[in-house]
Amino acid sequence: MEAIDSIDQNLLRLLQADGRATYSELAGRVGLSVAATKRRIDRLCAAGVITGFTALVDQTKLGWAVEAFTEVRYVGTTPPEDMLRAMSEIPEVAAAYTIAGDPDVLVKLRARDNRHLQNVIERLRRGRATGTKSMIVLDAYRREG
Amino acid sequence: MEAIDSIDQNLLRLLQADGRATYSELAGRVGLSVAATKRRIDRLCAAGVITGFTALVDQTKLGWAVEAFTEVRYVGTTPPEDMLRAMSEIPEVAAAYTIAGDPDVLVKLRARDNRHLQNVIERLRRGRATGTKSMIVLDAYRREG
DNA sequence: TTTGAAACAACTTCGTT
DNA sequence: AACGAAGTTGTTTCAAA
């Protein structure tokens, strides 16, 4: 993979701030032609530096008001891949992270309300999980989005 | 705010999957004209359902290899807003969540390496924090991106 | 609210430097 | 690697239904 110079870093920053910015707008900001700008962005995508583009959606406005993190502990023999696979099969799981140490997995959840959250946590605990500890989010700061 | 129908939900899903999809492509997929499609998306943005568009960047490819979550506890009199503000001032903080119960804040961190992470955690602990517990991410599943 | 058409803007490719 | 030009495609607005 090619080295990432300051122009590339600028493009990444601009595209993180506005993923639908036009090539001509980006070109103007980084001081290159439209063609050169597109070439660099195509390269960043091909190299896997940019993994995609997405719309940021306010889940609260869609009626999913509850956000929570749950720590999950598993029986000692469970392979980490199995933990993540089990979590990925639960639709309310927004993300899951295997952890060095204790707990084994940290799961980010989205639910409509507390009753729904309780139901999700029940499903998390099925299988080889030995215990959970949940933290309900009251407020959040997010660097992007 | 207007009700969100199944066409809107489809548009949200399509834009989350590809934030740079063209209006004509989206129009074809939802079975509306380009003009009607644009109108709906403009409305979703204006209503705050769509809060923005962003490029998903693989931080590992930029040399930020370490991801961690840190639980932070504060002295009892600290207002939650102050906790989030303090966290937001640390560039390596990707997100911070105030929590009901114990701990007070859960912080998502990005660092170049373990030495850098240690330095970040030192900075987290300054101010009114009374204690931290860090969890280094080994592997992750993310529903989008 | 949707449509179709028209004017405008942006994208993408290609030959050149 | 970048540029500029040319052909293609997409965006945005507007009158009509």
mmCIF file of all heavy atoms in Angstrom, chain A residues 97-118:
data_model
loop_
_atom_site.group_PDB
_atom_site.id
_atom_site.type_symbol
_atom_site.label_atom_id
_atom_site.label_comp_id
_atom_site.label_asym_id
_atom_site.label_seq_id
_atom_site.Cartn_x
_atom_site.Cartn_y
_atom_site.Cartn_z
ATOM 1 N N TYR A 97 -17.278 -6.614 21.176
ATOM 2 C CA TYR A 97 -15.823 -6.545 21.241
ATOM 3 C C TYR A 97 -15.305 -7.646 22.158
ATOM 4 O O TYR A 97 -15.713 -7.723 23.317
ATOM 5 C CB TYR A 97 -15.387 -5.186 21.793
ATOM 6 C CG TYR A 97 -15.960 -4.006 21.061
ATOM 7 C CD1 TYR A 97 -17.205 -3.468 21.424
ATOM 8 C CD2 TYR A 97 -15.281 -3.428 19.988
ATOM 9 C CE1 TYR A 97 -17.746 -2.381 20.739
ATOM 10 C CE2 TYR A 97 -15.817 -2.345 19.301
ATOM 11 C CZ TYR A 97 -17.050 -1.832 19.684
ATOM 12 O OH TYR A 97 -17.587 -0.769 19.004
ATOM 13 N N THR A 98 -14.410 -8.478 21.675
ATOM 14 C CA THR A 98 -13.734 -9.403 22.588
ATOM 15 C C THR A 98 -12.613 -8.631 23.270
ATOM 16 O O THR A 98 -11.969 -7.766 22.673
ATOM 17 C CB THR A 98 -13.181 -10.639 21.859
ATOM 18 O OG1 THR A 98 -12.359 -10.217 20.780
ATOM 19 C CG2 THR A 98 -14.311 -11.513 21.325
ATOM 20 N N ILE A 99 -12.416 -8.971 24.541
ATOM 21 C CA ILE A 99 -11.594 -8.161 25.435
ATOM 22 C C ILE A 99 -10.469 -8.995 26.034
ATOM 23 O O ILE A 99 -10.668 -10.182 26.297
ATOM 24 C CB ILE A 99 -12.499 -7.652 26.596
ATOM 25 C CG1 ILE A 99 -13.587 -6.735 26.060
ATOM 26 C CG2 ILE A 99 -11.688 -6.976 27.696
ATOM 27 C CD1 ILE A 99 -13.073 -5.451 25.480
ATOM 28 N N ALA A 100 -9.302 -8.372 26.215
ATOM 29 C CA ALA A 100 -8.213 -9.031 26.946
ATOM 30 C C ALA A 100 -8.525 -8.905 28.432
ATOM 31 O O ALA A 100 -8.608 -7.796 28.944
ATOM 32 C CB ALA A 100 -6.886 -8.358 26.621
ATOM 33 N N GLY A 101 -8.710 -10.034 29.095
ATOM 34 C CA GLY A 101 -8.955 -9.990 30.541
ATOM 35 C C GLY A 101 -10.406 -10.239 30.868
ATOM 36 O O GLY A 101 -11.060 -11.064 30.248
ATOM 37 N N ASP A 102 -10.919 -9.482 31.831
ATOM 38 C CA ASP A 102 -12.276 -9.683 32.312
ATOM 39 C C ASP A 102 -13.078 -8.410 32.103
ATOM 40 O O ASP A 102 -12.601 -7.340 32.482
ATOM 41 C CB ASP A 102 -12.227 -10.035 33.812
ATOM 42 C CG ASP A 102 -13.617 -10.223 34.394
ATOM 43 O OD1 ASP A 102 -14.256 -11.211 34.053
ATOM 44 O OD2 ASP A 102 -14.032 -9.348 35.182
ATOM 45 N N PRO A 103 -14.254 -8.404 31.503
ATOM 46 C CA PRO A 103 -15.017 -9.553 31.005
ATOM 47 C C PRO A 103 -14.464 -10.110 29.698
ATOM 48 O O PRO A 103 -13.447 -9.629 29.202
ATOM 49 C CB PRO A 103 -16.397 -8.938 30.768
ATOM 50 C CG PRO A 103 -16.087 -7.522 30.406
ATOM 51 C CD PRO A 103 -14.909 -7.139 31.223
ATOM 52 N N ASP A 104 -15.166 -11.092 29.089
ATOM 53 C CA ASP A 104 -14.726 -11.666 27.823
ATOM 54 C C ASP A 104 -15.188 -10.840 26.635
ATOM 55 O O ASP A 104 -14.471 -10.708 25.654
ATOM 56 C CB ASP A 104 -15.288 -13.092 27.692
ATOM 57 C CG ASP A 104 -14.724 -14.012 28.768
ATOM 58 O OD1 ASP A 104 -13.486 -14.124 28.834
ATOM 59 O OD2 ASP A 104 -15.509 -14.574 29.548
ATOM 60 N N VAL A 105 -16.426 -10.327 26.720
ATOM 61 C CA VAL A 105 -16.998 -9.573 25.599
ATOM 62 C C VAL A 105 -17.709 -8.332 26.132
ATOM 63 O O VAL A 105 -18.350 -8.377 27.190
ATOM 64 C CB VAL A 105 -18.020 -10.437 24.808
ATOM 65 C CG1 VAL A 105 -18.569 -9.657 23.611
ATOM 66 C CG2 VAL A 105 -17.390 -11.733 24.331
ATOM 67 N N LEU A 106 -17.573 -7.237 25.385
ATOM 68 C CA LEU A 106 -18.352 -6.029 25.663
ATOM 69 C C LEU A 106 -19.281 -5.828 24.469
ATOM 70 O O LEU A 106 -18.830 -5.819 23.325
ATOM 71 C CB LEU A 106 -17.432 -4.825 25.842
ATOM 72 C CG LEU A 106 -18.114 -3.504 26.221
ATOM 73 C CD1 LEU A 106 -18.762 -3.592 27.601
ATOM 74 C CD2 LEU A 106 -17.100 -2.357 26.191
ATOM 75 N N VAL A 107 -20.580 -5.698 24.743
ATOM 76 C CA VAL A 107 -21.578 -5.630 23.674
ATOM 77 C C VAL A 107 -22.304 -4.290 23.735
ATOM 78 O O VAL A 107 -22.727 -3.855 24.805
ATOM 79 C CB VAL A 107 -22.614 -6.766 23.833
ATOM 80 C CG1 VAL A 107 -23.599 -6.749 22.664
ATOM 81 C CG2 VAL A 107 -21.920 -8.110 23.921
ATOM 82 N N LYS A 108 -22.439 -3.641 22.590
ATOM 83 C CA LYS A 108 -23.211 -2.396 22.505
ATOM 84 C C LYS A 108 -24.599 -2.732 21.979
ATOM 85 O O LYS A 108 -24.726 -3.331 20.903
ATOM 86 C CB LYS A 108 -22.503 -1.415 21.578
ATOM 87 C CG LYS A 108 -23.125 -0.040 21.537
ATOM 88 C CD LYS A 108 -22.342 0.846 20.582
ATOM 89 C CE LYS A 108 -22.982 2.212 20.441
ATOM 90 N NZ LYS A 108 -22.300 2.989 19.391
ATOM 91 N N LEU A 109 -25.618 -2.338 22.704
ATOM 92 C CA LEU A 109 -26.990 -2.718 22.373
ATOM 93 C C LEU A 109 -27.856 -1.500 22.050
ATOM 94 O O LEU A 109 -27.627 -0.412 22.574
ATOM 95 C CB LEU A 109 -27.640 -3.449 23.551
ATOM 96 C CG LEU A 109 -26.959 -4.730 24.032
ATOM 97 C CD1 LEU A 109 -27.646 -5.238 25.293
ATOM 98 C CD2 LEU A 109 -26.996 -5.783 22.948
ATOM 99 N N ARG A 110 -28.871 -1.727 21.200
ATOM 100 C CA ARG A 110 -29.911 -0.728 20.927
ATOM 101 C C ARG A 110 -31.275 -1.384 21.127
ATOM 102 O O ARG A 110 -31.536 -2.438 20.551
ATOM 103 C CB ARG A 110 -29.833 -0.268 19.470
ATOM 104 C CG ARG A 110 -29.059 0.998 19.256
ATOM 105 C CD ARG A 110 -29.830 2.218 19.708
ATOM 106 N NE ARG A 110 -28.997 3.419 19.589
ATOM 107 C CZ ARG A 110 -29.310 4.583 20.109
ATOM 108 N NH1 ARG A 110 -30.419 4.734 20.813
ATOM 109 N NH2 ARG A 110 -28.528 5.622 19.966
ATOM 110 N N ALA A 111 -32.125 -0.770 21.923
ATOM 111 C CA ALA A 111 -33.462 -1.330 22.155
ATOM 112 C C ALA A 111 -34.500 -0.220 22.155
ATOM 113 O O ALA A 111 -34.164 0.950 22.297
ATOM 114 C CB ALA A 111 -33.505 -2.084 23.479
ATOM 115 N N ARG A 112 -35.761 -0.610 21.991
ATOM 116 C CA ARG A 112 -36.822 0.393 21.926
ATOM 117 C C ARG A 112 -37.081 1.005 23.302
ATOM 118 O O ARG A 112 -37.285 2.203 23.441
ATOM 119 C CB ARG A 112 -38.107 -0.242 21.377
ATOM 120 C CG ARG A 112 -38.066 -0.520 19.885
ATOM 121 C CD ARG A 112 -39.388 -1.052 19.388
ATOM 122 N NE ARG A 112 -39.651 -2.377 19.932
ATOM 123 C CZ ARG A 112 -39.242 -3.517 19.385
ATOM 124 N NH1 ARG A 112 -38.543 -3.490 18.264
ATOM 125 N NH2 ARG A 112 -39.506 -4.680 19.931
ATOM 126 N N ASP A 113 -37.078 0.146 24.335
ATOM 127 C CA ASP A 113 -37.356 0.612 25.687
ATOM 128 C C ASP A 113 -36.718 -0.370 26.670
ATOM 129 O O ASP A 113 -36.077 -1.328 26.256
ATOM 130 C CB ASP A 113 -38.868 0.732 25.924
ATOM 131 C CG ASP A 113 -39.603 -0.539 25.507
ATOM 132 O OD1 ASP A 113 -39.053 -1.642 25.725
ATOM 133 O OD2 ASP A 113 -40.713 -0.437 24.958
ATOM 134 N N ASN A 114 -36.921 -0.128 27.953
ATOM 135 C CA ASN A 114 -36.256 -0.969 28.947
ATOM 136 C C ASN A 114 -36.762 -2.417 28.928
ATOM 137 O O ASN A 114 -35.998 -3.345 29.184
ATOM 138 C CB ASN A 114 -36.433 -0.363 30.343
ATOM 139 C CG ASN A 114 -35.513 0.832 30.543
ATOM 140 O OD1 ASN A 114 -34.518 0.981 29.830
ATOM 141 N ND2 ASN A 114 -35.856 1.677 31.498
ATOM 142 N N ARG A 115 -38.047 -2.576 28.641
ATOM 143 C CA ARG A 115 -38.593 -3.923 28.585
ATOM 144 C C ARG A 115 -37.942 -4.703 27.436
ATOM 145 O O ARG A 115 -37.568 -5.864 27.582
ATOM 146 C CB ARG A 115 -40.120 -3.860 28.375
ATOM 147 C CG ARG A 115 -40.868 -5.098 28.828
ATOM 148 C CD ARG A 115 -42.359 -4.831 28.861
ATOM 149 N NE ARG A 115 -42.902 -4.659 27.520
ATOM 150 C CZ ARG A 115 -43.248 -5.677 26.706
ATOM 151 N NH1 ARG A 115 -43.112 -6.906 27.123
ATOM 152 N NH2 ARG A 115 -43.718 -5.444 25.518
ATOM 153 N N HIS A 116 -37.806 -4.031 26.312
ATOM 154 C CA HIS A 116 -37.137 -4.635 25.159
ATOM 155 C C HIS A 116 -35.679 -4.962 25.498
ATOM 156 O O HIS A 116 -35.164 -6.032 25.164
ATOM 157 C CB HIS A 116 -37.230 -3.667 23.973
ATOM 158 C CG HIS A 116 -36.643 -4.206 22.701
ATOM 159 N ND1 HIS A 116 -36.363 -3.408 21.624
ATOM 160 C CD2 HIS A 116 -36.274 -5.449 22.342
ATOM 161 C CE1 HIS A 116 -35.838 -4.143 20.659
ATOM 162 N NE2 HIS A 116 -35.773 -5.382 21.068
ATOM 163 N N LEU A 117 -35.032 -4.041 26.203
ATOM 164 C CA LEU A 117 -33.639 -4.268 26.589
ATOM 165 C C LEU A 117 -33.508 -5.516 27.466
ATOM 166 O O LEU A 117 -32.611 -6.341 27.274
ATOM 167 C CB LEU A 117 -33.090 -3.049 27.341
ATOM 168 C CG LEU A 117 -31.647 -3.182 27.824
ATOM 169 C CD1 LEU A 117 -30.681 -3.321 26.647
ATOM 170 C CD2 LEU A 117 -31.251 -1.975 28.679
ATOM 171 N N GLN A 118 -34.418 -5.630 28.384
ATOM 172 C CA GLN A 118 -34.397 -6.807 29.266
ATOM 173 C C GLN A 118 -34.512 -8.096 28.453
ATOM 174 O O GLN A 118 -33.788 -9.066 28.685
ATOM 175 C CB GLN A 118 -35.566 -6.716 30.254
ATOM 176 C CG GLN A 118 -35.527 -7.767 31.340
ATOM 177 C CD GLN A 118 -36.626 -7.537 32.366
ATOM 178 O OE1 GLN A 118 -37.739 -7.114 32.018
ATOM 179 N NE2 GLN A 118 -36.330 -7.794 33.621
#
